[in-house]
Amino acid sequence: MSDDPAPKQTRWINRQRVLVFAARGINHRHRHLMEDIKKLMPHHKTESKMERSKNLYVVNEISEMKNCNKCILFEGRKMRDLYMWMANIPNGPSAKFLVENIYTMGELKMTGNCLRGSRPLLSFDPMFTKDPHYAILKELLVQIFGVPNHHPKSQPFFDHVYTFMILDNRIWFRNYQILSEDGALAEIGPRFVLNPVKIFSGSFGGATLWENSKYVSPAKLRQAASKKASNKYE
Amino acid sequence: LKIKLKEFQLKLPWVETLDLVTVVAPMAPDVAFQLQETAQRRKNLKENTKGKQMYDPTQDPVLNEFKRENLIHRQAQAAVLEGLKKLKELNIPTRRPEDYFAEMAKTDEHMQKVRKNLMAKQAAQARTE
C-alpha cells in the first residue's frame, strides 16, 4: 500500500447534490424537460412525484433524507403551466419561477451533442451583477447547474456552455455545444425561459425578499385574452 | 437581499464553479449580412402581402427571434473564448481526445434521426431551387 492519499477523493470540494423531482400535475413536455435536466446534471438525485396535497415544507425533509443540499421542484398547474422552484436546502434562499417557451433536447432542430455529465461553462449576462435580486439568482443558478469539479460521474472535458441571458425581465436559458475552440457553437437544448416570480429567504418558505411586480399569472393572461376576444363583434 | 447573498455564497476557486460574466461578443460579418438579408426579406414579404398580417418592423416576431437567438449565441461565444483561455492558464485539458468514448447526452439513435432530418431539409431546399 502506498501512503499517498487518493487524490480524487480529496479534490472533490464543491459537494452539491441536487434533488430533481416534480409534484403531480405536470404534462409530458414538462416531464421531458425534467429528464433532460437530469441527463445534463450528474450530481442530481431523483424522487418519485410528490402528492399535491402535501405541504411544500415537506420537501425540506425529503431532501434531507436524500442527502441533498439543493433542490429543483417542478410544479404544474392545469396541465399546462409549469412552475419551477429552486432552493438552497437548509437555510434558503429559494426562488420560484414560471417556466415559459419550453423546447426539449429531443427536438430535431437542435443539432449539438455533448458528453453526458461533462462540466458546462456558465455564461451570465452582465445584468446579473447589477441588481441584487439577479445576483442572488445567479449564485443559486451557479450552485445548482454548475457540475462540481471532480464529481465521480462527471467527465474531465469541457464541451458545452450554458447561457443565462436577461431579456424582457426574464432569464433565457440556452445550452450550446462547443464545436471548436474559436467559438463555433451548435445548440444542444433544452431551451426554456424563466420568469422569476418571488424570492424567499428560507427554503420553500420564509420571508419574501423580492417579488416581481411585472409578473402576471398565465391564467390571468388567458382570461384577459378571452375577454378581449369576446368583445370583438359587439 | 445582499445579506442573504453573502450568507450562502460559496467561497471557492473559479475552477469549482466555472461561472463567467461576459459582455456580448461582436457580431460576425456574415451573420450581420444574414440579419440584413432576413430583414429585407421580411420587408418584401410585408409589402407584397395584403391583409391582416401587418407588423411594425420593430415588432416582427420572426426578425426579433433571429436577433435574440443571435444575441444569446454571441454571449455564449464570448464566454467560451474567455472560459477556455482561463482553463488553459490553469493547465486543464479542454479537448476530448479522439479515442475517448463515453456516454453522450443524446443517444446515437437520436443523432441519426437529427442527421436524417437535416438531410431531408437540405434535399427539399435543393428541389425548390
Side-chain angles (χ1 to χ4, degrees), chain A residues 170-195:
Chain A
R170 291 163 172 82
I171 302 170
W172 298 66
F173 174 93
R174 295 287 184 273
N175 178 13
Y176 293 103
Q177 177 190 11
I178 302 172
L179 290 173
S180 64
E181 311 256 301
D182 58 351
L185 303 170
E187 189 162 0
I188 303 171
R191 283 181 177 187
F192 52 87
V193 180
L194 297 171
N195 190 356

Side-chain angles (χ1 to χ4, degrees), chain A residues 6 15 27 33 46 73 75 78 81 91 94 100 188 207-208:
Chain A
R15 294 195 177 225
N27 69 16
L33 175 70
T46 52
L73 171 69
E75 209 185 351
K78 302 189 175 181
D81 307 323
N91 307 315
S94 54
E100 298 166 321
I188 303 171
T208 308

Side-chain angles (χ1 to χ4, degrees), chain A residues 7 12-13 20 34 36 40 46 51 66 74 79-80 89 95 107 109 116 139 154 161 172 185 199 205 209:
Chain A
W12 179 25
I13 329 167
V20 183
M34 188 169 81
D36 288 348
L40 292 170
T46 52
E51 291 304 329
K66 286 264 175 184
F74 291 93
M79 299 301 273
R80 43 157 65 151
I89 282 299
E107 261 160 61
K109 67 173 183 177
R116 194 165 187 161
E139 192 59 33
S154 70
V161 51
W172 298 66
L185 303 170
I199 301 175
L209 291 178

Side-chain angles (χ1 to χ4, degrees), chain B residues 36-82:
Chain B
Q36 226 173 30
E37 221 175 32
T38 319
Q40 188 60 43
R41 204 174 55 233
R42 293 295 297 174
K43 210 175 142 204
N44 290 345
L45 198 70
K46 204 175 72 179
E47 280 163 6
N48 296 336
T49 49
K50 290 169 224 159
K52 288 177 242 166
Q53 297 226 323
M54 282 295 186
Y55 298 114
D56 191 21
T58 54
Q59 303 260 313
D60 187 343
V62 174
L63 190 56
N64 271 351
E65 177 175 341
F66 187 57
K67 273 186 191 159
R68 164 162 46 78
E69 291 306 322
N70 188 249
L71 194 71
I72 298 174
H73 192 101
R74 271 152 50 209
Q75 155 97 16
Q77 271 178 339
V80 167
L81 293 180
E82 200 185 312

Side-chain angles (χ1 to χ4, degrees), chain A residues 17-222:
Chain A
R17 274 175 288 258
V18 184
L19 183 71
V20 183
F21 74 126
R24 291 209 180 274
I26 61 169
N27 69 16
H28 59 284
R29 184 166 266 248
H30 304 154
R31 193 182 65 240
H32 279 284
L33 175 70
M34 188 169 81
E35 294 304 323
D36 288 348
I37 286 178
K38 281 185 196 168
K39 258 182 217 163
L40 292 170
M41 302 201 325
H43 56 302
H44 81 270
K45 293 211 171 178
T46 52
E47 172 66 68
S48 48
K49 279 185 191 160
M50 192 177 74
E51 291 304 329
R52 263 246 202 82
S53 54
K54 276 188 186 155
N55 199 316
L56 277 177
Y57 293 115
V58 186
V59 182
N60 292 334
E61 284 162 31
I62 298 173
S63 338
E64 231 157 78
M65 260 180 339
K66 286 264 175 184
N67 253 333
C68 293
N69 55 0
K70 296 284 178 302
C71 178
I72 298 179
L73 171 69
F74 291 93
E75 209 185 351
R77 293 277 161 79
K78 302 189 175 181
M79 299 301 273
R80 43 157 65 151
D81 307 323
L82 181 69
Y83 290 91
M84 186 200 255
W85 284 83
M86 288 186 193
N88 178 21
I89 282 299
N91 307 315
S94 54
K96 187 185 180 188
F97 302 94
L98 173 71
V99 189
E100 298 166 321
N101 275 340
I102 300 168
Y103 294 85
T104 60
M105 218 152 66
E107 261 160 61
L108 291 178
K109 67 173 183 177
M110 313 219 184
T111 53
N113 199 354
C114 66
L115 285 172
R116 194 165 187 161
S118 62
R119 304 184 60 211
L121 295 169
L122 305 171
S123 139
F124 288 91
D125 191 276
M127 275 279 278
F128 272 104
T129 48
K130 278 180 199 147
D131 291 335
H133 67 273
Y134 281 135
I136 223 167
L137 289 179
K138 173 177 177 249
E139 192 59 33
L140 205 59
L141 289 168
V142 165
Q143 293 187 18
I144 288 178
F145 282 98
V147 175
N149 200 2
H150 302 297
H151 186 280
K153 282 186 203 158
S154 70
Q155 305 282 352
F157 306 107
F158 300 88
D159 59 355
H160 62 144
V161 51
Y162 292 169
T163 314
F164 298 94
M165 185 99 184
I166 295 176
L167 280 171
D168 204 11
N169 296 313
R170 291 163 172 82
I171 302 170
W172 298 66
F173 174 93
R174 295 287 184 273
N175 178 13
Y176 293 103
Q177 177 190 11
I178 302 172
L179 290 173
S180 64
E181 311 256 301
D182 58 351
L185 303 170
E187 189 162 0
I188 303 171
R191 283 181 177 187
F192 52 87
V193 180
L194 297 171
N195 190 356
V197 181
K198 268 184 185 179
I199 301 175
F200 300 97
S201 73
S203 61
F204 295 101
T208 308
L209 291 178
W210 177 81
E211 198 177 344
N212 190 355
S213 53
K214 290 190 182 103
Y215 168 72
V216 186
S217 84
K220 279 258 172 62
L221 277 179
R222 283 194 292 266

